[in-house]
Amino acid sequence: MITIEVNGTSKQIDIEPDTPLLWVLRDIVGLTGTKFGCGMALCGACTVHINGEPTRSCVTPISTVAGKRITTIEGLSADRSHPLQRAWIELEVPQCGYCQSGQLMSASGLLAKHPQPTDAQIDEAMTGNVCRCGTYQRIRQAIHRAAQLQSAANHKPAATEHGAQLLSAPHGRNAVAGGAE
């Protein structure tokens, strides 16, 4: 029995320890947003976060993630309110959409480290995420747009009414990101 934490929920999995995380997420946990592309960690479609780091789940044995935080595309935000999701929609990034969950997870890892990334930082972080439709320019534009949205949300002055501070979300969470980390 292996215990993993997926999108903030603890799961006990009874499976062979060398089973790839991708198949555990899709077939056992039922989170199908993470896609199978190549099975060799070359295309990026299967990217998830493990303890905040973008990781290719198709080659990650389930035994290596016991006790670690796993975030899938479903954990980015439940209502598409994450700045990256908003930017992706606004700029109409996807064509076929197959690679997009991996693209978004790699991009969110980038923005966590570099809130205002340069084109070079974007290119480096997104290397290895293959888009068969060739939407690379729109992906770069959307990452820049998400950085703007994220920055605006983080620097918004607190609203007041009759001298009382109004919070944009429960417990002071960032309303744009839906409280997701």
Side-chain angles (χ1 to χ4, degrees):
M1 195 69 69
I2 298 171
T3 302
I4 59 174
E5 181 187 321
V6 181
N7 300 332
T9 302
S10 183
K11 308 266 185 196
Q12 286 201 325
I13 309 294
D14 186 17
I15 195 158
E16 294 298 318
D18 62 342
T19 303
L21 174 60
L22 172 65
W23 300 118
V24 172
L25 294 171
R26 290 183 59 79
D27 296 344
I28 296 173
V29 180
L31 298 173
T32 58
T34 305
K35 304 299 184 201
F36 173 79
C38 67
M40 299 183 297
L42 299 173
C43 73
C46 68
T47 303
V48 298
H49 289 188
I50 298 177
N51 288 342
E53 289 295 318
T55 305
R56 305 298 199 246
S57 64
C58 71
V59 296
T60 303
I62 189 67
S63 61
T64 65
V65 297
K68 296 180 180 175
R69 289 178 295 113
I70 301 163
T71 306
T72 67
I73 188 68
E74 293 90 348
L76 205 54
S77 89
D79 61 358
R80 299 182 183 154
S81 63
H82 189 281
L84 280 164
Q85 292 167 316
R86 291 175 53 210
W88 245 248
I89 293 166
E90 179 183 320
L91 296 174
E92 299 178 346
V93 172
Q95 284 186 23
C96 80
Y98 196 82
C99 69
Q100 296 306 306
S101 63
Q103 300 279 1
L104 284 159
M105 295 307 289
S106 290
S108 67
L110 166 67
L111 289 179
K113 290 181 180 172
H114 302 284
Q116 295 295 322
T118 64
D119 284 347
Q121 289 169 324
I122 292 171
D123 292 347
E124 182 180 333
M126 302 306 288
T127 295
N129 283 82
V130 177
C131 176
R132 293 182 290 187
C133 302
T135 64
Y136 300 111
Q137 292 303 317
R138 286 191 304 217
I139 289 168
R140 181 186 289 152
Q141 290 169 349
I143 292 169
H144 283 301
R145 177 66 179 134
Q148 291 171 342
L149 292 170
Q150 186 172 281
S151 178
N154 291 338
H155 294 98
K156 185 184 289 186
T160 60
E161 182 177 324
H162 305 292
Q165 183 175 354
L166 300 176
L167 297 177
S168 58
H171 309 292
R173 287 191 211 148
N174 180 334
V176 174
E181 294 180 15

